[in-house]
Amino acid sequence: MLKVVKIGGNIVDNPEKLDRFLVDFASLPEPKILVHGGGKVATTVAKALGIETQMVGGRRVTDAETLKVVTMVYAGLINKTIVSKLQQAGCNAVGLSGADGGFIRSQRRNPVPVDYGWVGDPLPDRFGLPMARTLIDAGYTVVAAPITLDAAGEGLLNTNADTVAQTIAVGMSGVYDTELVYCFEKRGVLMDVDDDNSVIPEITPQRFAELKAAGVVADGMLPKLENAFRAIDNGVRSVVICSAEALTEPGYGGTRLCR
Amino acid sequence: MLKVVKIGGNIVDNPEKLDRFLVDFASLPEPKILVHGGGKVATTVAKALGIETQMVGGRRVTDAETLKVVTMVYAGLINKTIVSKLQQAGCNAVGLSGADGGFIRSQRRNPVPVDYGWVGDPLPDRFGLPMARTLIDAGYTVVAAPITLDAAGEGLLNTNADTVAQTIAVGMSGVYDTELVYCFEKRGVLMDVDDDNSVIPEITPQRFAELKAAGVVADGMLPKLENAFRAIDNGVRSVVICSAEALTEPGYGGTRLCR
């Protein structure tokens, strides 16, 4: 079983949570890939450099200067800090961006109706999977930053980390029995967003349709679950949504998505 | 034959020179590793972030904030820009810092007599060579950033790129017939620093001693040549010092160091 684990900004931004999470992650005995988001560091660095962060519908617009900042912060500072901490925890980690070995190639997002700038959506071409496979089979743990390579030759593109994790899991599922784990700030998908004990243990596509219709699943959770079901439809064995603290717990105490 | 090529700030800082160099480098048919320096970008970013760059004897003092900047700029922005351009030129490049797979482990420099902060000197432990070998043997080109991993577990360390190139060449020479090529702003080691046509074609250790005594080799060239002879003493077949423009020329039109 290969585990593809994604952590978001709430962990990346908090040194204590990150340290605890990385020790847990390093202790997982299975072959594994970690995908990290960016968090607030990019916004802080951009601000300090006098670059205004523009958001449209909760998404960052990536102009040329912002692309430099996210490349520095995601593929440089965050990726190498995580790799260094995993090495210290005894996990032989290798940090990659989507450009390395053509790991994740993408297509620049259509500028109509909203021009997000240098933002790309991953292609399912599996071009870079031989490299990831070479490293995984040799015993290394891959740590992936959400910067991808424009397949049309235009350079680097900023990419949503959830989608990167889903693309990697789908790609690897052709070779390995693969589980995708999204770690986030809640214990799982909650029936009542204010009640941490209302975790829904399992969601099928039919239940997902019901939850959407009832408005239980909305906002940021909606694309996360849609991503997750796309992974299952394309070969990933199961997708789990759980708290970062639950990574080493049996069953993760979270929400498992299945057919 | 494996080629380990090092480029410095004068190429990294100049987009046109960098583009031309990378197309030349991509066209080399041999297995190859590129080691890049940092250039002025780190100083510019540090300044924009309000971090003062402190130099002692021409070397950057790396405090905790500066370490973050060089990690962002060297391992993030510069490394991934180079990888992306090499991918566009048809070269399947993988960018690594010294932390990745423990590629280059180092020892923090003794703070006496000068405390350079988070600066490390590479260890000759060859800990990370299996990963580089795995990638090279699978047909990838490695692009190395001069950020290394403190073997004592203290995290990342800023490291001189010439020394990183020498360490990689020595390490790989145990497995491959290895040539180390330093590309810099002159055509080679010059007999007369003001005459570009005075390239010394070959330097032996005895000739090196004479040139040092005569003051022909001084300043920045001295540690470069000392590094180079250390590489030859430890298994590297030859070291060439040449212009970046001469990379694809037979014999490089530069200076070859040999026993």
Side-chain angles (χ1 to χ4, degrees), chain A residues 32-224:
Chain A
K32 51 195 181 288
I33 295 177
L34 179 62
V35 181
H36 60 83
K40 291 177 194 143
V41 191
T43 308
T44 308
V45 171
K47 199 178 168 187
L49 291 171
I51 301 161
E52 210 173 306
T53 296
Q54 204 192 331
M55 307 287 278
V56 175
R59 285 171 178 256
R60 187 189 301 270
V61 174
T62 307
D63 62 11
E65 288 304 305
T66 304
L67 181 64
K68 286 185 189 172
V69 170
V70 295
T71 302
M72 289 198 292
V73 173
Y74 299 170
L77 186 59
I78 296 175
N79 192 267
K80 299 319 169 196
T81 300
I82 288 175
V83 166
S84 157
K85 284 173 187 284
L86 286 175
Q87 288 283 347
Q88 285 166 46
C91 170
N92 205 347
V94 177
L96 301 172
S97 75
D100 298 299
F103 186 27
I104 309 286
R105 305 206 304 173
S106 59
Q107 184 172 34
R108 189 171 169 177
R109 196 174 294 167
N110 194 326
V112 178
V114 180
D115 186 358
Y116 287 103
W118 298 101
V119 166
D121 298 302
L123 292 171
D125 63 5
R126 304 187 183 197
F127 179 89
L129 288 178
M131 183 197 51
R133 200 181 162 183
T134 297
L135 290 170
I136 298 285
D137 288 350
Y140 296 96
T141 293
V142 170
V143 179
I147 299 292
T148 57
L149 183 68
D150 182 4
E154 290 296 316
L156 303 168
L157 293 172
N158 191 9
T159 302
N160 177 274
D162 281 1
T163 319
V164 167
Q166 181 244 317
T167 305
I168 292 173
V170 167
M172 300 306 271
S173 72
V175 182
Y176 307 87
D177 189 17
T178 302
E179 181 175 77
L180 173 57
V181 182
Y182 285 112
C183 291
F184 84 136
E185 61 275 22
K186 302 279 182 185
R187 289 183 53 207
V189 182
L190 302 178
M191 202 57 206
D192 172 1
V193 78
D194 295 319
D195 179 6
D196 260 3
N197 291 318
S198 68
V199 173
I200 305 168
E202 197 176 285
I203 303 180
T204 59
Q206 197 196 324
R207 183 99 173 94
F208 180 44
E210 291 165 12
L211 291 167
K212 261 198 293 192
V216 172
V217 172
D219 304 327
M221 188 50 80
L222 206 56
K224 201 179 273 287

